């Protein structure tokens, strides 16, 4: 007699159940199991403004996605969820106390300071993040800022549009001095995935790479020279920030550390806004104590209109988009989906509160 295997240890004879009935019964079991997981995305718009699909995550449970969630809306929206995904919506200890069903928090980013991870751990809640999804994209933005400053791309493009080149007597028109980055020193603060990617690209441009890192010389590429922070600040033509935000690194770029830099130095921050004391950096730019800054992150986002960097001299600001190329967001979605699947299968990966 032919038999069909439904689950391990349970068989149904062909003359007792039709294939269609078996198929329907199995699908109903799967559907019930799927619905047993309530998944809520609190702020999905940043990751997916409409050009990606949530389908992979949607298959794993009863799924709800909100573009944005205010702090006051978190508890009501996540009250019944056992899985919550968040990018920048904060989950404090007080909030977690009001979410008794919650068992898993997936941070849709690498940094996870928006979650009280200790409080989550104490409540038996797994917290995961998305590592190494945007290294190439963020490194690309570092050099977008650097090359814009080196060749004054935006200003030269604007002068062409305004007619200045058309009114010029020469075939070439230079609005401001430009310079090569080859042969210049680039100082990388923090040498993780992004920092090492920046180093590789800088080396390809012919730059001399200095790094402030806890890694030993034999753990670094041969084109990278490990130095102290003070040496890096004093000798670098370009200083780029790729360290995590901690009590030690908060306001790392301030009046004192800027005072160690060359007057021709360029500061680039694609890491975390609070790594920089924004008033101190604005003052240094306005007073000509350093050359320029390229910034993709600010201490408050969206920024206050009175943020001192917005109108600072030679300060170029992009609205936190270094991470957000289509390719990087696609990788992020894939990793987030796999994180949840692994968790549901009992093989948690990328957990940050072990």
């Amino acid at each position: 007699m032919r038999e069909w295997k439904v689950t391990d240890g349970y068989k149904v004879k062909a003359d007792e159940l039709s294939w269609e009935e078996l198929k329907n019964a199995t699908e109903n079991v799967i559907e019930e199991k799927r619905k047993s997981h309530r998944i809520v995305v609190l702020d999905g718009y940043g990751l997916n403004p409409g050009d990606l699909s949530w389908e992979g995550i949607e298959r794993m449970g009863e799924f709800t996605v909100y573009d944005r969630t205010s702090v006051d809306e978190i508890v009501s929206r996540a009250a019944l969820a056992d899985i919550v995904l968040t990018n920048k919506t904060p989950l404090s200890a007080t909030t977690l106390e009001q979410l008794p069903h919650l068992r898993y928090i997936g941070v849709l980013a690498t940094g996870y300071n928006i979650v009280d991870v200790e409080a989550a751990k104490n409540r038996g809640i797994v917290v995961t993040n998305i590592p190494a999804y945007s290294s190439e994209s963020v490194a690309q933005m570092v050099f977008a800022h650097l090359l814009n400053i080196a060749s004054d791309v935006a200003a030269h493009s604007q002068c062409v549009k305004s007619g200045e080149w058309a009114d010029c007597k020469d075939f070439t028109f230079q609005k401001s001095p430009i310079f090569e980055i080859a042969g210049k020193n680039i100082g990388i603060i923090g040498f993780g995935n992004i920092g090492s990617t920046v180093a590789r690209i800088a080396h390809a441009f012919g730059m001399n790479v200095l790094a402030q890192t806890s890694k030993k010389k034999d753990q670094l590429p041969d084109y990278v020279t490990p130095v102290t922070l003070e040496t890096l600040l004093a000798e670098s033509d370009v200083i780029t920030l790729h360290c995590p935000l901690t009590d030690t690194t908060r306001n790392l770029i301030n009046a004192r550390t800027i005072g160690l830099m060359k007057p021709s130095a360029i500061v680039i921050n694609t890491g975390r806004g609070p790594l920089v004391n924004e008033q101190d950096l604005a003052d240094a730019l306005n007073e000509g104590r350093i050359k320029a800054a390229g910034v993709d992150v600010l201490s408050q986002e969206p920024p206050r209109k009175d943020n001192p960097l917005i109108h600072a001299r030679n300060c170029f600001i992009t609205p936190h988009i270094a991470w957000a190329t289509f390719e990087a967001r696609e990788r992020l979605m894939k990793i987030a989906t796999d994180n949840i699947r692994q968790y549901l299968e009992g093989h948690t990966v990328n957990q940050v509160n072990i």
Side-chain angles (χ1 to χ4, degrees):
M1 179 70 70
R2 184 182 176 190
E3 297 175 329
W4 287 305
K5 188 175 182 182
V6 180
T7 59
D8 289 342
Y10 180 66
K11 296 181 179 180
V12 177
K13 292 183 179 179
D15 60 353
E16 292 179 350
L17 194 67
S18 71
W19 174 250
E20 191 62 32
E21 289 171 325
L22 173 60
K23 179 174 176 290
N24 291 339
T26 303
E27 287 179 349
N28 288 339
V29 170
I30 292 171
E31 180 65 14
E32 288 304 313
K33 185 176 181 182
R34 186 185 78 82
K35 287 183 177 179
S36 69
H37 304 296
R38 294 186 176 93
I39 305 172
V40 173
V41 184
L42 295 175
D43 50 2
Y45 187 83
L47 167 58
N48 182 16
D51 55 354
L52 296 174
S53 172
W54 294 105
E55 183 181 2
I57 297 175
E58 192 172 7
R59 287 199 211 104
M60 291 186 280
E62 184 180 319
F63 181 74
T64 306
V65 57
Y66 298 98
D67 282 349
R68 302 164 190 86
T69 296
S70 68
V71 172
D72 293 340
E73 294 172 319
I74 297 172
V75 172
S76 62
R77 290 182 171 183
L80 298 178
D82 51 333
I83 296 175
V84 165
L85 305 183
T86 180
N87 190 326
K88 293 294 180 288
T89 303
L91 293 170
S92 65
T94 301
T95 299
L96 296 179
E97 288 174 2
Q98 300 174 75
L99 301 174
H101 299 283
L102 188 58
R103 291 293 174 266
Y104 176 96
I105 298 169
V107 180
L108 300 173
T110 302
Y112 48 87
N113 56 300
I114 46 95
V115 177
D116 189 324
V117 291
E118 282 303 310
K121 181 178 180 179
N122 292 338
R123 298 184 66 83
I125 300 170
V126 170
V127 182
T128 65
N129 74 336
I130 314 290
Y133 73 94
S134 65
S135 299
E136 298 292 343
S137 294
V138 176
Q140 177 176 298
M141 182 61 76
V142 170
F143 286 92
H145 274 291
L146 177 54
L147 294 172
N148 173 59
I149 293 167
S151 298
D152 212 355
V153 174
H156 282 99
S157 176
Q158 187 56 46
C159 80
V160 173
K161 292 182 178 182
S162 68
E164 290 182 71
W165 190 23
D167 293 337
C168 180
K169 296 178 181 179
D170 303 307
F171 76 94
T172 182
F173 177 82
Q174 192 167 128
K175 183 76 173 176
S176 56
I178 58 177
F179 61 90
E180 292 182 348
I181 63 172
K184 300 293 190 297
N185 294 341
I186 184 169
I188 302 172
I189 300 177
F191 208 79
N193 290 311
I194 297 173
S196 59
T197 303
V198 169
R200 171 173 53 82
I201 297 170
H203 177 63
F205 268 114
M207 302 185 79
N208 306 312
V209 182
L210 310 178
Q212 193 262 321
T213 173
S214 59
K215 294 176 181 176
K216 300 290 195 307
K217 174 63 177 173
D218 59 5
Q219 296 175 298
L220 299 170
D222 57 8
Y223 54 79
V224 176
T225 302
V227 295
T228 65
L229 177 62
E230 288 71 20
T231 298
L232 183 148
L233 295 170
E235 296 185 4
S236 296
D237 300 292
V238 181
I239 296 154
T240 180
L241 308 178
H242 303 290
C243 52
L245 177 63
T246 65
D247 290 341
T248 303
T249 61
R250 186 177 296 273
N251 289 325
L252 178 66
I253 302 302
N254 56 48
R256 184 191 71 81
T257 54
I258 291 170
L260 300 175
M261 300 177 191
K262 301 176 180 180
S264 58
I266 297 165
V267 173
I268 297 178
N269 185 16
T270 56
R272 294 287 182 268
L275 294 172
V276 171
N277 183 307
E278 292 167 340
Q279 187 63 62
D280 287 357
L281 179 58
D283 289 345
L285 290 166
N286 291 331
E287 295 165 11
R289 287 186 277 120
I290 60 172
K291 179 179 178 60
V295 174
D296 187 61
V297 287
L298 294 172
S299 60
Q300 179 179 313
E301 298 171 344
R304 304 184 319 273
K305 291 184 178 179
D306 63 349
N307 185 299
L309 289 179
I310 292 177
H311 300 293
R313 174 179 171 271
N314 289 342
C315 187
F316 303 89
I317 304 174
T318 47
H320 203 148
I321 57 172
W323 69 280
T325 61
F326 177 82
E327 294 82 358
R329 289 185 295 107
E330 193 173 43
R331 282 191 293 271
L332 194 161
M333 181 72 81
K334 184 178 183 299
I335 296 169
T337 302
D338 189 61
N339 281 354
I340 298 171
R341 181 182 60 78
Q342 295 269 25
Y343 165 73
L344 294 178
E345 293 177 356
H347 309 292
T348 303
V349 296
N350 296 323
Q351 184 173 354
V352 298
N353 67 332
I354 298 173

